[in-house]
């Protein structure tokens, strides 16, 4: 999986720019427009939270675990609905920001939570974090399915029978190219170059091959209730994020100046954050990537066998 250093690179280094651009509770996963692109980003993010609440049951007295909680947007929503949320992240800046807002967030590997760590939960949600759970090295070693199966087994141990899990993640799409073609020296604008750029932006991370790989890995413990592609919604989300990031402000300029030494000394940093193109948006458009919202229900092993 992506380790702590990888996630500090992706999320903590430019933490203040995220928060200045997207708000203190920066929501950094695909919003839900359902094809209505007249919605604002905030409205579509709200619609996503309402959908999650409807699908898994978030409300008064419910205990919700958020795996890879980011800056805490879902946890704040849970609180507003009278529930209790616990979040985990591997970014220290995110954990600190969440705590400033009174959210119960821990710097903890989501894949290693045991039932004794935070107690039992009614439901689990994970938005935009599954992408980080398997590393390219694990995939090359033929361990991708094993990593996902291990995660689902652990999640099953945290949930009651019929407890629900909402999982939102990017996956490789139907036009994904062979891995050995991915190359940062390939012609700019080629599929191979865009995918290599994504590798730089999300070091240590590797995606599942479609929603079927996820459903298969979950199947010993979970039945899939629904699986819907949110690819077009994600393209619009990224478009609106880019507008927000590009909106200038004095404070953002100050933060960018502080990052100048890093920009000068690190080619990876320059490629990841200042290449001027949106690799993930292009990859979604070309269907090198897709994006799924999956709802699972924990099934008691005995009922799976009968
Ligand atoms: C794209 S952000 C999504 C944040 C949030 N869920 C949202 O919707 O705004 C990915 C999050 O996953 C977290 N993450 C990735 N791998 C993790 C792991 N193994 N354990 C805990 N958190 C992890 C990152 O720290 C980050 O908070």
């Amino acid at each position: 999986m992506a380790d702590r250093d990888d996630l500090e690179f992706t999320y903590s280094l430019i933490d203040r720019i995220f928060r200045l651009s997207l708000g203190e509770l920066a929501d950094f996963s695909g919003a839900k427009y359902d094809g209505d692109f007249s919605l604002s980003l905030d409205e579509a993010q709200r619609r996503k939270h309402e959908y999650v609440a409807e699908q898994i049951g978030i409300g008064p007295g419910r205990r919700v675990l958020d795996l890879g909680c980011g800056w805490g947007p879902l946890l704040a929503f849970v609180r507003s609905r009278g529930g209790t949320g616990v979040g985990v992240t591997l970014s220290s800046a995110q954990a600190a920001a969440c705590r400033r807002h009174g959210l119960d967030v821990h710097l903890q590997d989501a894949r290693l939570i045991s039932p004794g760590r935070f107690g039992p939960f009614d439901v689990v949600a994970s938005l935009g974090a599954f992408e980080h759970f398997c590393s390219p090295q694990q995939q090359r070693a033929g361990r991708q399915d094993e990593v996902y199966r291990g995660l689902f087994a652990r999640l099953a141990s945290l949930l009651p029978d019929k407890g629900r899990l909402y999982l939102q993640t990017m996956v490789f799409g139907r036009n994904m190219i062979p891995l050995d073609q991915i190359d940062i020296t390939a012609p700019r604008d080629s599929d191979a170059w865009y995918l290599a750029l994504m590798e730089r932006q999300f070091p240590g991370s590797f995606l599942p091959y479609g929603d079927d790989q996820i459903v298969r890995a979950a199947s010993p413990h979970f039945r899939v209730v629904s699986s819907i592609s949110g690819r077009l919604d994600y393209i619009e989300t990224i478009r609106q994020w880019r507008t927000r990031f590009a909106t200038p402000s004095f404070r953002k300029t100050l933060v960018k100046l502080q990052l100048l030494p890093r920009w000068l000394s690190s080619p990876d940093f320059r490629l990841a954050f200042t290449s001027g193109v949106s690799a993930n948006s292009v990859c979604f458009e070309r269907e090198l990537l897709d994006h799924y919202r999956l709802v699972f229900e924990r099934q008691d092993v005995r009922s799976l066998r009968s």
Side-chain angles (χ1 to χ4, degrees):
M1 64 152 209
D3 63 17
R4 171 105 187 259
D5 286 346
D6 294 328
L7 293 161
E8 296 287 13
F9 177 83
T10 306
Y11 298 112
S12 299
L13 265 179
I14 62 163
D15 152 70
R16 288 197 61 216
I17 296 183
F18 274 112
R19 287 186 288 113
L20 288 167
S21 304
L22 302 181
E24 271 298 304
L25 298 165
D27 205 316
F28 202 51
S29 55
K32 197 160 191 299
Y33 294 90
D34 298 320
D36 178 2
F37 299 130
S38 69
L39 293 178
S40 70
L41 179 60
D42 292 343
E43 286 167 338
Q45 293 293 18
R46 174 86 192 176
R47 186 179 272 197
K48 173 181 73 182
H49 291 153
E50 281 163 359
Y51 177 73
V52 178
E54 207 176 274
Q55 294 300 314
I56 63 176
I58 290 176
R62 301 275 283 174
R63 271 196 106 224
V64 182
L65 173 64
D66 186 354
L67 296 178
C69 63
W71 287 272
L74 182 69
L75 294 172
F77 176 83
V78 169
R79 183 167 61 186
S80 75
R81 287 283 179 100
T84 309
V86 176
V88 295
T89 173
L90 279 183
S91 154
S92 55
Q94 290 180 333
C98 286
R99 289 190 195 127
R100 282 198 297 278
H101 294 98
L103 299 170
D104 186 7
V105 168
H106 305 260
L107 202 55
Q108 147 94 47
D109 188 339
R111 300 172 324 140
L112 302 177
I113 301 174
S114 58
R117 177 73 171 93
F118 303 114
F121 289 95
D122 296 303
V123 291
V124 176
S126 184
L127 288 77
F130 197 83
E131 291 89 333
H132 301 294
F133 290 164
C134 178
S135 67
Q137 291 82 350
Q138 287 169 320
Q139 191 276 337
R140 274 197 295 276
R143 295 188 49 218
Q144 191 175 18
D145 283 326
E146 175 196 326
V147 167
Y148 297 153
R149 279 198 302 267
L151 175 81
F152 285 113
R154 234 167 228 275
L155 293 184
S157 74
L158 304 175
L159 284 170
D161 187 28
K162 301 222 179 318
R164 287 202 168 188
L165 160 68
Y166 177 80
L167 188 65
Q168 175 170 316
T169 181
M170 284 154 58
V171 300
F172 288 129
R174 62 192 180 108
N175 295 331
M176 179 57 187
I177 61 174
L179 296 177
D180 58 7
Q181 289 178 13
I182 298 175
D183 182 359
I184 201 69
T185 63
R188 215 179 143 95
D189 201 41
S190 63
D191 292 350
W193 183 77
Y194 277 115
L195 285 160
L197 196 55
M198 286 211 62
E199 275 180 353
R200 299 301 201 282
Q201 286 167 343
F202 301 100
S205 300
F206 194 86
L207 299 181
Y209 281 89
D211 61 335
D212 27 339
Q213 183 173 19
I214 305 172
V215 171
R216 217 175 34 248
S219 64
H221 304 281
F222 290 91
R223 113 184 143 79
V224 65
V225 177
S226 61
S227 175
I228 300 168
S229 170
R231 184 177 67 87
L232 298 179
D233 281 358
Y234 216 141
I235 292 171
E236 177 62 13
T237 306
I238 295 166
R239 199 184 66 74
Q240 297 209 23
W241 278 340
R242 283 170 67 79
T243 307
R244 299 264 188 111
F245 278 108
T247 306
S249 85
F250 178 63
R251 289 169 73 196
K252 265 197 246 179
T253 307
L254 281 183
V255 178
K256 285 181 187 168
L257 283 174
Q258 283 164 7
L259 289 169
L260 192 60
R262 182 83 186 211
W263 185 86
L264 288 170
S265 65
S266 166
D268 279 351
F269 184 85
R270 288 199 294 274
L271 266 175
F273 297 113
T274 59
S275 61
V277 295
S278 171
N280 48 2
S281 191
V282 174
C283 291
F284 280 126
E285 278 157 14
R286 296 183 182 182
E287 294 192 58
L288 299 163
L289 300 183
D290 205 329
H291 175 254
Y292 278 90
R293 310 175 195 282
L294 296 125
V295 180
F296 288 103
E297 193 167 87
R298 164 99 172 82
Q299 283 218 335
D300 192 287
V301 176
R302 278 162 306 189
S303 61
L304 285 174
R305 287 199 187 119
S306 61

